[in-house]
């Protein structure tokens, strides 16, 4: 395919900065370790490993948003894209070429987090395989969101937006606390966005509660489609301009 060579170049760019990759993979592991220790000293079951693991993995995808946004933002800032616009690739080819090499990074995050969770008491079962599939679908949303940001903003602006974005995903996903504990408008806003649905879908898959999986996963898929459509449309306008 036309975008394979472009995707190969982007893969090299991603792995050229191993420190950021190490941080994006290592920080979730450290957080899982800290919250597992906290759970041992708590009188109530707030951070049990079955609920904590899905939330931590979804949280780790926030760094995928940063990687994808800064990758495309840097290319726009350095005029690299202006030079390769002479190629026959379409806007969707470019977006796929940016998104494709990020999937192995997301898969690595998933595997490392699960291996860590096994050490903290998570049981291995067939549901984990389904959970991995669900998580890869969710990762596509975070990749698309980063590409959308990179399409409209520079790499420096993406870095600033990320600081706000990671706080939004942290508080509105239900990773660290049950959204029912606050309820009201806060919970309504949280479930109007995809982050809480992503955590709910992952937890349902891991617990084998398939009836509770479909609706939140459809929310995430719907947001993913919209995000990619906007990203491709915006990229096409940038190409014409």
């Amino acid at each position: 395919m036309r975008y394979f060579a472009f995707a190969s170049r982007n893969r090299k760019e991603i792995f050229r900065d191993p420190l950021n990759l190490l941080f994006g993979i290592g920080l979730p592991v450290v957080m899982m370790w800290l919250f597992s220790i906290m759970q041992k000293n708590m009188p109530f079951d707030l951070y049990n490993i079955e609920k904590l693991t899905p939330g931590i993995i979804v949280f780790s995808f926030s760094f995928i948003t940063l990687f994808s946004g800064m990758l495309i933002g840097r290319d726009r800032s350095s005029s690299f894209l202006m030079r390769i616009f002479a190629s026959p690739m379409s806007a969707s080819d470019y977006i796929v070429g940016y998104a494709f090499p990020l999937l192995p990074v997301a898969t690595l995050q998933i595997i490392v987090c699960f291996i860590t969770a096994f050490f903290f008491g998570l049981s291995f079962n067939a549901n984990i395989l389904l959970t991995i599939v669900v998580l890869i679908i969710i990762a596509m949303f975070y990749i698309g969101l980063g590409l959308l940001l990179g399409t409209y903003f520079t790499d420096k602006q993406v870095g600033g937006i990320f600081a706000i974005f990671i706080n939004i995903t942290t508080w509105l996903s239900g990773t660290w606390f049950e959204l029912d504990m606050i309820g009201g408008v806060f919970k309504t806003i949280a479930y109007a966005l995809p982050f809480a649905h992503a955590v709910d879908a992952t937890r349902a898959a891991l617990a084998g509660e398939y009836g509770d999986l479909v609706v939140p996963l459809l929310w995430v898929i719907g947001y993913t489609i919209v995000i990619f459509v906007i990203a491709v449309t915006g990229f096409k306008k940038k190409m014409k301009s």
Side-chain angles (χ1 to χ4, degrees):
M1 300 296 288
R2 290 178 296 183
Y3 52 77
F4 275 177
F6 185 55
S8 177
R9 173 263 173 188
N10 292 328
R11 175 183 55 80
K12 294 176 183 177
E13 285 293 317
I14 293 169
F15 287 96
R16 188 173 293 175
D17 191 3
L19 186 61
N20 279 340
L21 283 175
L22 182 62
F23 185 79
I25 296 172
L27 180 61
V29 171
V30 172
M31 295 181 70
M32 188 178 297
W33 172 66
L34 289 174
F35 280 102
S36 296
I37 292 176
M38 290 171 60
Q39 178 59 55
K40 291 180 179 179
N41 298 312
M42 285 183 175
F44 47 90
D45 196 23
L46 182 60
Y47 298 124
N48 71 73
I49 196 65
E50 287 78 14
K51 288 188 176 181
L52 180 64
T53 303
I56 289 286
I57 298 176
V58 172
F59 167 78
S60 73
F61 291 157
S62 300
F63 295 95
I64 294 286
T65 299
L66 177 64
F67 299 154
S68 56
M70 293 191 71
L71 177 62
I72 190 172
R74 278 198 302 264
D75 285 349
R76 288 180 55 243
S77 300
S78 65
S79 72
F80 171 77
L81 286 179
M82 293 297 293
R83 296 195 298 271
I84 65 170
F85 278 164
S87 72
M89 291 198 305
S90 64
S92 58
D93 289 333
Y94 283 110
I95 293 298
V96 172
Y98 278 115
F100 188 75
L102 286 162
L103 281 176
V105 178
T107 304
L108 182 60
Q109 287 180 310
I110 294 169
I111 293 173
V112 170
C113 285
F114 267 124
I115 291 174
T116 304
F118 294 148
F119 281 103
F120 289 110
L122 182 68
S123 301
F124 181 84
N125 55 62
N127 292 331
I128 290 177
L129 300 178
L130 173 62
T131 306
I132 291 174
V133 174
V134 171
L135 284 166
I136 290 174
I137 295 172
I138 293 170
M140 287 302 300
F141 163 75
Y142 283 86
I143 291 171
L145 187 57
L147 296 178
L148 176 62
L149 293 176
T151 298
Y152 289 97
F153 301 99
T154 66
D155 55 328
K156 294 181 179 179
Q157 290 171 331
V158 169
I161 294 171
F162 175 73
I164 301 173
F165 170 73
I166 199 167
N167 279 288
I168 292 175
T169 58
T170 297
W171 291 104
L172 296 180
S173 65
T175 298
W176 316 123
F177 55 86
E178 295 293 337
L179 294 173
D180 290 333
M181 294 171 63
I182 300 178
V185 176
F186 184 87
K187 181 180 177 181
T188 301
I189 294 173
Y191 277 104
L193 298 172
F195 311 113
H197 293 289
V199 173
D200 287 351
T202 310
R203 285 175 174 169
L206 187 59
E209 298 170 351
Y210 307 127
D212 296 330
L213 168 64
V214 177
V215 173
L217 187 59
L218 286 177
W219 269 85
V220 177
I221 292 173
Y223 264 96
T224 303
I225 293 172
V226 171
I227 288 294
F228 269 93
V229 168
I230 296 174
V232 171
T233 303
F235 200 90
K236 188 179 296 184
K237 290 181 180 179
K238 295 291 182 182
M239 290 176 67
K240 292 180 179 179
S241 63

